[in-house]
Amino acid sequence: MAKLYFYYGAMNSGKTTRILQCEYNYKEQGMRAIIMKPEIDTKGNNKIVSRIGAVKKVDYMIKKDENVFDLIINEYGHVDLILVDEAQFLTERQVNQLMDIVVDLDIPVMCYGLRTDFKGHSFPGSRRLLDIAHELTEIKTICECGKKAMFNVRLINGKVATEGESVAIDGVGEVKYTVACAKCFSMKTRKKFDEMSDD
Ligand SMILES: [Zn+2]
């Protein structure tokens, strides 16, 4: 029986490398894997780039209100595997539709994405995947102090940002990210975890 998988981690944990490797393995076995990615801006960033330099054009960019279940039925028919990069940007409904693909069409779906944003809150897509995926796998990466990095820190022009939208908007300066363990995240953002509460 097919399953819905969620591989989650902080940034730069090698998620994209795994996607490319997985697609390659399927192809080598004569099977068909497709790579999809939610469209989050108008830049048409339809490539995935791994840390080790491999670049690949994704097969399909998922639009914000698109029904992914219908898309697979109408445009693809049977595939052996669906890989989703940047799965944190899926909507809750799209994650549910991916589960329908798994259950009704018996196609395994492997989603890769960030657990939380730079403010330490889960993205809607990640939250739903953490709710319903059959299998959850944390992809670990390391903080500069040597502990496991769980958080993403947004740097704007080299300074740590603690406010702003989950997706950085163009034109605010040079946006970069780094990863941190819980303790370093608290220190870098100069916030206790209780101060990060929504209420
Ligand atoms: Zn640390």
Side-chain angles (χ1 to χ4, degrees):
M1 199 200 84
K3 287 181 181 173
L4 177 62
Y5 301 82
F6 185 34
Y7 298 88
Y8 64 92
M11 295 183 101
N12 302 326
S13 53
K15 294 184 287 294
T16 306
T17 308
R18 285 171 183 241
I19 292 175
L20 295 174
Q21 182 70 54
C22 196
E23 195 227 13
Y24 181 85
N25 291 348
Y26 263 68
K27 260 195 189 149
E28 205 175 41
Q29 299 295 327
M31 294 191 280
R32 187 174 176 216
I34 56 170
I35 303 176
M36 303 170 89
K37 183 175 154 179
E39 199 172 64
I40 52 156
D41 50 36
T42 51
K43 281 183 291 189
N45 187 10
N46 63 350
K47 292 187 179 68
I48 57 173
V49 182
S50 77
R51 291 178 76 207
I52 55 172
V55 181
K56 194 175 187 303
K57 197 169 164 283
V58 300
D59 295 292
Y60 193 83
M61 298 291 289
I62 304 166
K63 288 161 206 74
K64 190 112 194 107
D65 299 315
E66 187 149 27
N67 184 313
V68 202
F69 183 82
D70 290 348
L71 170 81
I72 293 298
I73 293 222
N74 297 330
E75 304 291 329
Y76 287 93
H78 188 75
V79 294
D80 295 297
L81 174 69
I82 297 170
L83 295 154
V84 185
D85 192 24
E86 309 272 20
Q88 71 272 10
F89 296 128
L90 294 166
T91 64
E92 179 172 333
R93 288 194 70 175
Q94 287 170 334
V95 174
N96 292 339
Q97 290 155 7
L98 290 174
M99 188 58 136
D100 285 332
I101 291 171
V102 169
V103 171
D104 292 355
L105 309 180
D106 202 29
I107 299 171
V109 178
M110 294 183 176
C111 295
Y112 293 77
L114 300 175
R115 184 179 177 187
T116 54
D117 66 13
F118 73 103
K119 291 179 282 188
H121 294 278
S122 58
F123 290 90
S126 323
R127 196 175 310 139
R128 191 59 184 150
L129 281 160
L130 291 165
D131 286 343
I132 67 170
H134 291 91
E135 288 197 20
L136 300 171
T137 305
E138 183 174 29
I139 302 179
K140 295 185 178 74
T141 188
I142 293 174
C143 178
E144 60 191 16
C145 74
K147 292 199 192 78
K148 184 179 82 175
M150 291 168 59
F151 296 93
N152 301 298
V153 179
R154 178 183 289 172
L155 302 167
I156 299 178
N157 297 326
K159 281 190 143 181
V160 175
T162 56
E163 304 291 331
E165 298 297 316
S166 288
V167 182
I169 298 158
D170 288 342
V172 293
E174 188 199 29
V175 179
K176 282 188 173 175
Y177 291 91
T178 182
V179 296
C181 70
K183 188 173 182 180
C184 293
F185 182 71
S186 177
M187 276 166 48
K188 282 177 196 280
T189 58
R190 295 168 188 274
K191 282 186 178 185
K192 284 183 176 292
F193 274 84
D194 192 31
E195 295 172 288
M196 301 172 204
S197 303
D198 270 335
D199 50 87

